[in-house]
Amino acid sequence: MKTFHFYTKHEAYTFLDVNSETFHEEEKQLFEQGFELDIKSIDAETAKEAVEKYEQENDFNCQATTTLAMIEALTIPVVLSVDD
């Protein structure tokens, strides 16, 4: 199981996997951008599950769905082909 921290700024939110090698640097960058820690942690098997739990606890609507779609898009591998 993974642990995720959620951060908010106005109507937007994002999250980080606490066990990521880059967690501390990414968290520092979020704070520098004005994000605030919203919930200490959510334990979940996947990022998608963590977002769903966060949405349920915070009564988010379509904005959260957009965020989740962006997360899923970022995890899709891309294969580039270069012709000679």
Side-chain angles (χ1 to χ4, degrees):
M1 184 146 314
K2 297 179 181 179
T3 301
F4 298 88
H5 283 191
F6 283 77
Y7 305 83
T8 60
K9 181 178 179 182
H10 307 294
E11 297 295 320
Y13 76 84
T14 191
F15 64 91
L16 298 174
D17 179 346
V18 174
N19 296 313
S20 166
E21 292 179 15
T22 57
F23 169 75
H24 293 290
E25 179 60 31
E26 291 173 322
E27 183 179 56
K28 178 183 170 188
Q29 291 174 9
L30 288 174
F31 289 146
E32 289 172 352
Q33 295 174 36
F35 280 84
E36 297 178 358
L37 184 61
D38 189 25
I39 292 180
K40 184 174 181 182
S41 64
I42 290 181
D43 294 324
E45 293 294 329
T46 64
K48 182 177 179 178
E49 182 184 335
V51 168
E52 289 170 353
K53 286 181 178 183
Y54 182 75
E55 289 176 357
Q56 288 174 354
E57 292 177 9
N58 293 283
D59 197 29
F60 276 91
N61 55 22
C62 62
Q63 180 179 348
T65 303
T66 302
T67 302
L68 182 56
M70 289 171 40
I71 293 163
E72 290 174 344
L74 293 173
T75 60
I76 298 171
V78 176
V79 177
L80 300 176
S81 174
V82 178
D83 294 327
D84 292 324

